[in-house]
């Protein structure tokens, strides 16, 4: 093995780093990405209190959530290219400080309109953690190692939306809804310290983009001309829209329709979301045997079926609260399969513009989510039907985007990065995937050997960094074992 190697896979398929370094990276990136879900979800149990205190309607309170999601989308479009130009640390520190200020302004907002404005600013600042963390993962890893790292990272980030309403309910036992935003301000200050002392710069200066606004727009245009990327972006955005339809409507459905207390709603929200965490961890093992695009297809179909059943149960009243909570559990579980796989497949060919491409993915997620949230309120919160119908519509549209635009059979696979200048990659890392023709199966793929000659592809569950086993060798082994 050459002496100067940075990307040597270990037994877990992730580049050769000490386990303590890997755990520290997961915790730091998880803390950064958790700020967004906490900003969005922590105040959900306080929706009825905000409406009463500020003299606002339920729809107006839900619009503050819409403003947060729009801010989150726009913030990513700004912060992603900025991080490609100046590195990852400076945008994170600056944006998190803005988040602290915006949280303090939300805490003292005198009207629902002012609260909505400050929530937009808060969402824009919270976007830094999400988009830059994804870009950091793309800086360091690619292919299956990136999927497995993101799956493990989702265990940390998945806890945030699960626990946020529960934590918000507990905070409301000791203070009013304004205290929730004081807590968010304190969390922001803590994350500034995390970035300053716990995150090194991952984007070298020779890989930064310096073309200004014109170059950023050209990069956006070139990425948006890629059919596979656009299809995956739409698929992920529509699934997140289904999730945000749940987030926007669940507090009114479970508290007003089914009569749960703030604390009981928070607990139910957490229990109902455990499937998301379990799915992200199962995904890390599943991708060793099943190509990620087919995992996506299975998850999307399952979500559509569960959403259809939820519409039926909501309209007829069958099974009561269980007819809503159980399908929601299934839908959130499917989101746990989409969250790690979509960004890795979409970012596979964008090593020099990872921040910009990640910004487009995140912006689509929250822009479409911002549309689905007010739809729930517009059709009323007196029953679970509007929430269920919005989630069903978004799930079906996600299936359409995957099959009609992304076209899973034409997703050619995950390509390793070219070698870093001055470093020699291990032999298994220099293989390049040849784009797969439409309809080709796993055995139809061919790879280029280092010298450029074609050779049979390794099986899809070959461990990263391990020499590929040729079909003839495998047949000989099976014959010897039978004899």
């Amino acid at each position: 093995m050459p002496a100067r190697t940075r990307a040597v896979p270990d037994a877990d398929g992730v580049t050769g780093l000490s386990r303590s370094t890997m755990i520290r990276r997961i915790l730091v990136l998880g803390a950064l990405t958790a700020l967004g879900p906490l900003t969005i979800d922590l105040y959900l149990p306080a929706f009825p209190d905000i409406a009463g205190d500020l003299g606002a309607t339920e729809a107006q309170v839900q619009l503050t959530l819409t403003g947060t999601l729009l801010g989150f989308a726009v913030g990513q479009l700004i912060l992603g290219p900025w991080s490609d130009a100046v590195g990852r640390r400076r945008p994170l520190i600056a944006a998190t400080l803005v988040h602290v200020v915006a949280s303090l302004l939300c805490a003292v907002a005198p009207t629902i309109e002012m609260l909505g404005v400050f929530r937009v600013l808060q969402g824009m600042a919270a976007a830094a953690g999400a988009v830059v963390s994804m870009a950091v993962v793309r800086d360091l890893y690619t292919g299956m190692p990136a999927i497995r790292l993101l799956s493990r990272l989702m265990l940390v980030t998945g806890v945030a939306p699960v626990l946020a309403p529960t934590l918000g309910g507990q905070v409301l036992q000791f203070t009013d809804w304004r205290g929730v935003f004081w807590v968010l301000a304190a969390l922001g200050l803590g994350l500034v310290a995390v970035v300053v002392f716990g995150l090194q710069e991952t984007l070298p200066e020779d890989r930064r983009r310096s073309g200004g606004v014109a170059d950023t727009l050209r990069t956006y245009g070139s990425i948006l001309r890629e059919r596979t990327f656009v299809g995956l972006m739409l698929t992920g955005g529509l699934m997140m829209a289904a999730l945000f339809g749940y987030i926007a409507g669940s507090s009114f459905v479970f508290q007003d329709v089914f009569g749960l207390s703030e604390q009981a709603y928070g607990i139910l929200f957490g229990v109902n979301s455990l499937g998301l965490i379990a799915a992200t961890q199962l995904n890390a093992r599943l991708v060793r045997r099943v190509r990620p695009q087919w995992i996506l297809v299975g998850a999307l179909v399952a979500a559509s079926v569960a959403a259809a059943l939820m519409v039926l149960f909501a309209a007829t009243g069958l099974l009561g609260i269980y007819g809503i909570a159980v399908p929601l559990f299934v839908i959130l579980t499917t989101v746990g399969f989409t969250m790690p796989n979509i960004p890795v497949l979409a970012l596979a060919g964008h090593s020099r513009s990872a921040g910009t491409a990640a910004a487009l993915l995140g912006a689509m997620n929250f822009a479409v989510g911002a549309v689905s949230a007010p739809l729930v309120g517009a059709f009323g919160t007196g029953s679970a039907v509007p929430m269920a119908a919005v989630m069903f519509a978004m799930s079906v549209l996600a299936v359409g985007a995957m099959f009609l635009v992304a076209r899973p059979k034409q997703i050619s696979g995950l390509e390793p990065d070219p070698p870093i200048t001055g470093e020699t990659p291990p032999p298994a890392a220099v293989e390049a995937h040849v784009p797969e023709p439409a309809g080709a199966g796993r055995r139809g793929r061919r790879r280029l050997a280092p010298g450029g000659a074609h050779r049979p592809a390794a099986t899809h569950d070959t461990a990263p960094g391990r020499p590929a086993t040729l079909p003839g060798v495998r047949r000989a082994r099976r014959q010897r074992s039978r004899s």
Side-chain angles (χ1 to χ4, degrees):
M1 182 68 67
R4 298 189 66 190
T5 300
R6 188 180 71 175
V8 181
D10 61 15
D12 291 329
V14 184
T15 53
L17 297 169
S18 67
R19 188 164 297 276
S20 61
T21 301
M22 178 63 63
I23 292 174
R24 185 175 69 251
R25 236 171 228 175
I26 291 173
L27 291 176
V28 170
L29 296 177
L32 291 170
T33 54
L35 184 61
L38 287 172
T39 299
I40 293 167
D41 295 346
L42 196 66
Y43 84 138
L44 293 181
F47 271 19
D49 289 346
I50 294 174
D53 187 33
L54 298 181
T57 65
E58 295 173 349
Q60 286 177 314
V61 176
Q62 286 178 326
L63 282 175
T64 66
L65 176 61
T66 299
T68 310
L69 299 178
L70 285 174
F72 213 91
V74 174
Q76 291 185 74
L77 293 175
I78 297 171
L79 294 166
W82 186 22
S83 73
D84 283 340
V86 303
R88 312 304 185 195
R89 279 169 50 90
R90 283 196 289 173
L92 272 176
I93 294 172
T96 307
L97 287 173
V98 173
H99 180 274
V100 173
V101 175
S103 299
L104 295 177
L105 292 174
C106 288
V108 298
T111 64
I112 191 66
E113 291 80 12
M114 295 300 296
L115 178 63
V117 171
F118 297 147
R119 286 287 286 173
V120 172
L121 180 62
Q122 192 181 36
M124 291 179 66
V131 67
V132 178
S133 293
M134 193 181 300
V136 167
V137 172
R138 184 59 185 84
D139 290 341
L140 300 172
Y141 307 100
T142 187
M144 293 302 175
I147 289 182
R148 286 192 282 273
L149 178 61
L150 278 175
S151 296
R152 291 164 184 162
L153 182 60
M154 292 302 167
L155 177 61
V156 180
T157 59
V159 170
V162 169
L163 293 182
T166 306
L167 294 174
Q170 297 304 314
V171 169
L172 291 173
Q173 286 187 313
F174 303 99
T175 183
D176 60 7
W177 64 269
R178 298 180 186 274
V180 173
F181 293 102
W182 288 102
V183 170
L184 286 172
L187 289 174
L189 282 176
L191 285 177
V192 171
V194 167
V195 176
V196 171
F197 298 106
L199 183 66
Q200 297 179 346
E201 182 58 61
T202 60
L203 185 66
E205 291 189 7
D206 60 348
R207 289 175 55 193
R208 297 178 186 178
R209 308 182 68 91
S210 57
V213 176
D215 180 67
T216 298
L217 294 177
R218 283 194 298 270
T219 304
Y220 274 135
S222 65
I223 294 173
L224 289 174
R225 285 193 293 270
E226 298 177 16
R227 184 188 186 109
T228 298
F229 181 92
V230 172
L232 291 168
M233 179 178 67
L234 290 173
T235 301
L238 289 164
M239 283 302 293
M240 289 298 289
L243 178 63
F244 283 120
Y246 163 64
I247 290 173
S250 61
S251 61
F252 293 110
V253 168
F254 287 117
Q255 292 183 70
D256 294 346
V257 177
F258 292 106
L260 297 184
S261 65
E262 294 170 344
Q263 288 70 39
Y265 161 71
I267 293 172
L268 177 63
F269 192 100
V271 171
N272 202 35
S273 301
L274 290 177
L276 187 149
I277 297 176
T280 59
Q281 302 315 294
L282 176 60
N283 184 75
R285 296 183 178 275
L286 196 58
V287 292
R288 299 180 181 183
R289 299 190 175 275
V290 183
R291 295 176 69 188
Q293 56 264 45
W294 297 117
I295 298 175
L296 282 176
V297 169
L300 294 171
V301 172
S304 299
V305 173
L309 290 174
M310 184 167 58
V311 172
L312 174 64
F313 294 144
T316 60
L318 287 174
L319 303 180
I321 191 173
Y322 298 103
I324 305 301
V326 173
L328 283 173
F329 182 88
V330 175
I331 295 171
L332 292 178
T333 300
T334 64
V335 174
F337 288 110
T338 64
M339 289 172 67
N341 292 320
I342 285 180
V344 173
L345 287 170
L347 299 180
H350 299 285
S351 61
R352 291 186 60 85
S353 55
T356 305
L360 282 171
L361 289 176
M364 174 58 68
N365 286 349
F366 290 93
V368 181
V371 173
S372 69
L375 282 177
V376 177
F379 290 106
T381 55
S383 75
V385 173
M387 181 184 74
V390 168
M391 296 182 72
F392 173 69
M394 297 301 170
S395 301
V396 171
L397 289 173
V399 173
M402 187 65 183
F403 279 100
L404 300 178
V405 185
R407 297 181 180 178
K409 288 186 178 181
Q410 296 184 5
I411 297 177
S412 60
L414 299 174
E415 299 180 1
D417 278 342
I420 303 297
T421 303
E423 297 178 344
T424 305
V430 298
E431 294 179 345
H433 289 257
V434 176
E436 177 182 343
R442 285 194 296 267
R443 296 185 182 273
R445 296 198 308 273
R446 298 186 63 84
R447 297 182 181 181
L448 291 177
H454 286 285
R455 68 180 183 183
T459 57
H460 59 283
D461 56 344
T462 300
R466 197 173 296 169
T469 303
L470 298 179
V473 176
R474 291 199 299 273
R475 286 195 296 271
R477 289 177 179 172
R478 287 197 295 269
Q479 292 172 356
R480 285 199 300 269
S481 65
R482 286 196 295 268
S483 63

